[in-house]
Structure formats: structure tokens, C-alpha cells
Amino acid sequence: MTTALGELPYITVIALLAIGLYIILVKKNLIKIAMGIVIMEAGANLFLITLAFNSGDRLSAPVFTSQIMGGTPATYSLPTPHALTLTSIVIGLATTALLLSFIMQAYKKHKVTSTDEFRRLRG
Amino acid sequence: MTFYNHLIEQAPAMVVAIPLLFAFATPLLFKFSAKFGKFWALLGVFATTVLMYVLAWDVLSEGGDVVNTYIFGAENTQLPLPGDNVVRISFAVDGMSAFMGLIMVTVSLAAIIYSISFVKKYTGNAKFFALMLLVLAANIGMVFTGDLFNLFVWFEVSSIALCGLTVFRSERGEAFEGAAKYLIYSTIAGLILLFSVGLLYGQYGHLNIKFLSEAIGGNAELLMVDKVALGLMMTVFALKAGAVPMHMATPDAYSEAPAPVTAIFVTASQAGLYAMFRMVFTLYGSNIHLTIDLLHAAGWIVIILGVVSMFVGVTMALVQKDIKRLMAYHAISQTGYMLLGVGVGMAVYATGGFDEFGRTAMTGGIFHIFNHAMYKGLLFLTAGAIIYKAGTRDLNKMGGLGRDMKLTALFFIIGALAISGIPPMNGFASKFLIYESVFKFNPIIGAIAMLVSLLTLASFVKVFYSAFMGPRMKEMARGEVPAPMLMGMAVLAGIILVFSMAPSLVVRSLVDPAVNALTGDGGTTSTSLTLFTGHGAWNAVVFMGAMISATIIAVMIRSFFGKKGMTPREEGKKPYLFGNPTEIDGRPIVVPGSNLYWGFTKALDRYYKPVEKFHSGIINEYVFWFVSTLVLVLLVMLAWVR
């Protein structure tokens, strides 16, 4: 790992995933659960982006960032993870929009905001 | 190059491209006329089906381990990828992919034909057909892709489109609830999948399954990241397949979705199963010198998931009052059989046990995927027909539909016999392979598998009794369902009947290539009509001959010695209490379906109370069960595997 930030991006990834998961597991408000999912998505996307920064000669197709980042000349950024992240962001947008619209409709029909009431289907 | 060669070369991409094109064009054509739009959607599925059949014929006739690749954007789409750093997306169609593709198109075709009249009374038909085609494209993409990130994309497309279809009946608030739960579940699972794909990419710099597999094999020993990635992916795909304890959103979404969508839902779950088997066998199993312990641990995890799914699914089904929810729990229970069969294959992979019974178990599990898609699709469609006429999904409020819906009742019987594994149906053939081999592996698990079949039959007896038997209910509509709905059901029922009669032909031409594609061992079963398991044999034709002669003898005995007693339709008026017909104030006597097994379920109260509490409906708890399964699987992977 030879980004200018050291191991910090990975720590942030773990923190984001953990915060998102905590919200989903503990918070009862449906909108907050949707927010938790978005935070987890941010974590996964950051993970992919962090993977793009790589050193050594194992990978090719380099997009050099040494001048911009002020790193060693061997530091470069792979384009593939960027493409993956963009795709994943778009998918995340779609799922979030869909989920929020479901929650909104459920509120319109049954006036529910909490997961404790959001359980007409059970058993 | 002939036309056929060109067709085969382009087919893997076309099978996904055609439904996508037709999907996005469907709403446009609905602007002109609804009839034209429906015709267009039907044409799209039909074209995909024909092309898929041609492609599957080409792949399966070569034995299944020959891979038909399609590399997107390459000059020559069939050449192997040059170098080891290409980022092109590729499709790889081998026996297993072609086998799954056949299932997807067949069920979709039946569901679309059925939908033509089923959704007529609702608005939003254009979007319905567009999304149906989109799900088909996503499911085929998921089983064809040779690229891990692409797999994630199809996974999400399939989930999003299915959630959109689940809320088709938007007047029901529950539909939004079911869809939201399914979406939360599948989104979190998708993120975990993305994370594990990222782990493998970060370690090896590849997304292509073939290159990744070679890269894993190039290591001196199995790395921790390999184990973690497999554990994460297996759990995610088990969730998509609906394995207990990650199944909770499945019955919600299945029961709220319209019937043809539920039939497609089943195939989408099976795409999850496919992806799990593909990861275990192709990504890891091809480096068996490194991964033998990993595969055995994975096999045990899959077996345990399978047994728990089988048992919890069927016992929960037994107490349901909602016909579709009941069938949804059966879908979970039957998924357990597939997990069990293939799990036994994994657990003894590359040992002596594999040749002895592991391969038979895998054959049974994979054959069961096909059978399940057909009979479960059929059953969900008949459930849709019942709801269409009865106007309710509550088993206690319906009755007497068999008097008008004779064909639907017949289709229901075919499906119910097949799912319960009653000979000579196809469900028996695959369960027979699983019973015989699993019994050899572990007798207790084999006995549980048989018990579950028994309970399955019991709960379908309850559905048949509640929906079709008894006196007509006043508020029910009369007559049979429209012809397109019957046609959709007839397609699947016909396939079930044909495959029931020649199970060994199906195993040889469809299932063996699929198993070969996963394991690469090139074994086959016999060439006769009889299906051999190594211990027993099953021949549907001989069985039918015996059945028919026994029936003829029974009818003869009855006509010579039988008493002329009860007249038809008497059962609705005079319940037989304690052996004698009793008259109770002239009203029709109905025992509600949910009371049929009251004694049984009451006796098992100590089991049912906690299990029903377990399905609490609170999404936080559902996610908690997913996360704890994930942690458990990872612990097993890290602690058990050296």
C-alpha cells in the first residue's frame, strides 16, 4: 500500500462498513436503515477505489499519478476499479431510490415508520 | 463459416441482448396498442427461448465441459483472452450455464404466456412486461458471465427488477413491505459480494473467473483472503437462493408478487445457487491440491444449510394459511434438497466417496434444480389461477374450485405429486438420486430428506382440500381461467410429464454435462431408460406399467364385488363422523384448511413457538441473522481449513 495516505483508506472502509451495519442492525427507523445501506455502499465503493492505487510491476495499464500525488514514480492508479466503482455507484443510486420509494409508499398505506410496525408479513 | 456457426458464435451475447432490447422497446410499443406490446414481449421471450435451445443443444451435445466463450468488444469473440491483464468482460457458456439458461427461458416463456391474460385487469402492463424481460436477461446474464464484477451487476439487476415486479399490485401496502425487505436483504448481500470481489481483485488483479482460478492455483498455499472471499460469496449466494436462516424476505416477496413473477423469482433464486456452485467448483475446486479441505468445509456448510432449509421450510409451510406463502416456504424447503445434494458432492469431492456416491448426489441435486423450476413454477401459476378465481389467498376462505377449474386442478395435482416426490413424477427421480446417495453419506440426513417429502405431501393435500374440494363458496367467480393462463400452465405440466417418463434420458443429456462442467470428471450414467444410483434403479415406464395393471385389477375387483354406496356430491352435505354419515342442519360442512393438521402442529407447539418467533418480521433481526451466518461461515472457513 503506497498511497499518500498509508493505511488510512482501509481503516475508513472498515469504519464505514461497520457504521452502516450498526445502523441497519440497531436503528428502527426505516429511513435510517436506508441511510445505513448508503453508508455501507460508500464503504464498498471506497474499498474498490483504494484498490486502484497499486505499486510494483504486477499490474500494467498504468495511469501515472506521481506528479499529482507527489508519490514515487511507481505509484499509479488502475482504471478498472474506477470503472467498477462508477457502475457500483449507479447501482447504489437505483437501489436507494427504489428502497426509499417503497418506504414512502408503505408509509402512505399503513403510516409506518418503524421496523417494529413494518411487520404485517411474518410467521 | 455457415450460418449455424455464426449463430452459435454470437448466441451467448444474443441470448442476453435480445431480451434487453425487447424489454426497453416494450413500453414504447404499448403506446401504440396493448395487444401489439404483449405480442412484442411474447416474441422477445420466444426468440430468446429458441436461441437458447439452439445454444444449449450445441453446448450440451459436446458433453458440457467444452466452453463456448464470448468476449465482449474483442476482434474475435471466441478466441481465448490474450495475456493475463485484459479487462474485457467475457461470457463463458459450459454445460452448467446452458442447463441453467434452459430453465430460465422455459419458465419465463410459460410465465409470459400466462401473464397475457393474468395482468389484463391491472394498469401498468407495459412496465410489467418490460421488467419480466429484464429479469430474464439478468438471470441469463448471471449464469453466463465469466466475470465476477459482471456477476455482481446481474445480481443487482435481477434483484431490482424483481422488487419492481413485486409491487405490481400497488394497492396492497404489504407488497411494498415484502419488496422493501427483499431489497434491503439483497442490497446488503450485493455489497458483501462486491466487497469479496474487491478482495480477490486486490489480491490477484483479475476479475475473470478462469484467470482468478489459475492465479489461486499459482500460490504455494491457500491464502486467508481466498478463504474469506469464498465464505462471503457462499453466504451471499445462499441468501439469494433463500437458504435458512437467511430466507426471511423470500416468503414475503414470493407471496406478495403476482403469480407469474413468483415463478420467475424461483429461477432467480436458482441463479444464486448456480453462482454458489460455480464459485466453489470452478473458482476453487479446479485447484484441488490446495483447496480440498476448503471444499470439504464448504460442503459441510452447504449440507447444514440445506438440511435446516428443508426442515424449517416444510414445517413452516404446514401452518400457513396464505396459499402463496405456503408455496414460498416449500420453495425454501426444496432448495434445501439441491443444497444437500450438491453439498454432499462438495464434502467428498476428490476423495473415494465422490465416485461412490458423491457424483450421484450432485447429479440428484442439479437434476432437482430443473425439476424444481418446472413444478414450482407450475404450482405458483396454479396458485395464481386459484387466486384469480377465488379472489382471496386465504385457504380458509376458498373452496369448491375443483368443480369449475378441472384443468387447473389437474395441473395442480401434477405439480403437487412432483414436489412431494411421488413416483413416477420427475420430482421422485431426482429425490431418489439424493435419498440413495445421501443415505450412504449419512443415514440420518437421508432419513430427514424423506421425512420432509412426507410433510410436503401433507401440506399439498391441505391446499388441494381447501381450494378444490368441498362445496362452492358463494363469492367465488365461476368457470375456468382464460386460455393463455391454461397454456402457460400446460407448457410446464407437459415438460414435467415428459421428463417424468424418461428421467435417465434427461440425466444423460442435460444433467451429466452440467455436472461435468462443474467437476470436470467426464462421467456418465447408463444409456438405458433406467436410472441407476449404484444401489438402486428407477424406471418410470416399468413403474407405470405396474401401476396401470394394478389399477385395472382394482377396478375389476370393485366392479365385481364393490357395494353401491355413496352418491356423488354427498360429501358436501353429510360429513362422515365416526364412520356414519351425519346430517347437521342442512348447511354445507367445511373444515377450514388450517385446521386439518391442528393436532399435529399443536403437539409440536414447543417447536413452532420459537420458530414462529424467529420469523418476527423485523428487518433488523433478519439482517442480524444474515450477519451472524456470515460470521459463522467465516469462522468455520478460517478455523477449520488449514
Side-chain angles (χ1 to χ4, degrees), chain B residues 104-118:
Chain B
M104 306 296 169
V105 290
T106 310
V107 176
S108 285
L109 183 66
I112 291 261
I113 295 174
Y114 181 94
S115 307
I116 288 174
S117 49
F118 184 77

Side-chain angles (χ1 to χ4, degrees), chain B residues 281 285-286 288 292 295-296 344-351 354 362 518-521:
Chain B
F281 284 104
S286 45
I288 196 66
I292 184 156
L295 244 68
H296 293 177
V344 168
M346 272 182 221
V348 295
Y349 193 58
T351 63
F354 189 74
M362 260 186 89
L518 285 181
T519 63
D521 72 344

Side-chain angles (χ1 to χ4, degrees), chain B residues 122-144:
Chain B
Y122 299 102
T123 56
N125 278 5
K127 287 140 204 152
F128 178 86
F129 283 102
L131 284 173
M132 288 286 270
L133 283 160
L134 203 57
V135 176
L136 174 63
N139 283 344
I140 297 180
M142 200 165 155
V143 298
F144 274 14

